[in-house]
Amino acid sequence: DRPDQAKMVRAKADVQAIVSALNMYKLDNHRYPASDQGLLALVEQPSGSSGANNWKQGGYLDSVPKDPWGNDFIYLSPGTHGDYDIISYGYDGVPGGEDKNADINSWEVE
C-alpha cells in the first residue's frame, strides 16, 4: 500500500544521505568510520587512537537517523559488499523479507 511504499522510498533516500555523509567523512579523514564507531562518528567526533583528526566541526549529519520504521540502520565497515554496508531490515526489522518487509541495502540503492 502507499504508506509502506512511501517508507521504502524514504529509507532509500536516508541510505543515500548516509552514503553522502560517509563519503564526506572519508574525504576529510582518509577512511570510513569503523563498525564500532558506527554512524555516531558522523555526528560526534570519535576519540582515541582511531579518532578522526580532520573531523568537520558540526559533523556530517545532524543526528544518527533511524529508518522509517523506527529501527537503527545497520552499519558495517568494512562491509561484505564494499568498504561499508548500510542496511535497513524494513517493516519487520529482521533480515530478508519481501514487499514492506524487504531489506534496503546500500549496495542496491542507486
Side-chain angles (χ1 to χ4, degrees):
D1 67 39
R2 293 183 73 85
D4 292 325
Q5 289 174 341
K7 286 184 177 185
M8 292 177 73
V9 168
R10 172 67 191 270
K12 290 176 184 178
D14 289 348
V15 167
Q16 289 172 328
I18 294 168
V19 166
S20 293
L22 285 168
N23 288 332
M24 293 301 296
Y25 180 100
K26 184 180 180 191
L27 281 173
D28 290 345
N29 298 287
H30 312 292
R31 61 178 180 75
Y32 294 107
S35 291
D36 63 335
Q37 294 171 317
L39 297 176
L40 184 61
L42 300 174
V43 177
E44 298 177 5
Q45 183 173 9
S47 60
S49 61
S50 62
N53 295 333
N54 295 318
W55 194 82
K56 182 179 89 173
Q57 187 67 27
Y60 302 87
L61 292 173
D62 292 335
S63 62
V64 178
K66 299 263 188 194
D67 73 13
W69 300 276
N71 301 310
D72 292 329
F73 283 97
I74 308 301
Y75 173 72
L76 302 171
S77 180
T80 57
H81 297 275
D83 291 329
Y84 57 82
D85 295 346
I86 304 164
I87 306 163
S88 165
Y89 289 139
Y91 174 80
D92 63 358
V94 297
E98 297 178 1
D99 301 320
K100 68 181 181 182
N101 295 326
D103 299 348
I104 309 294
N105 302 305
S106 58
W107 60 93
E108 296 174 337
V109 173
E110 296 180 12

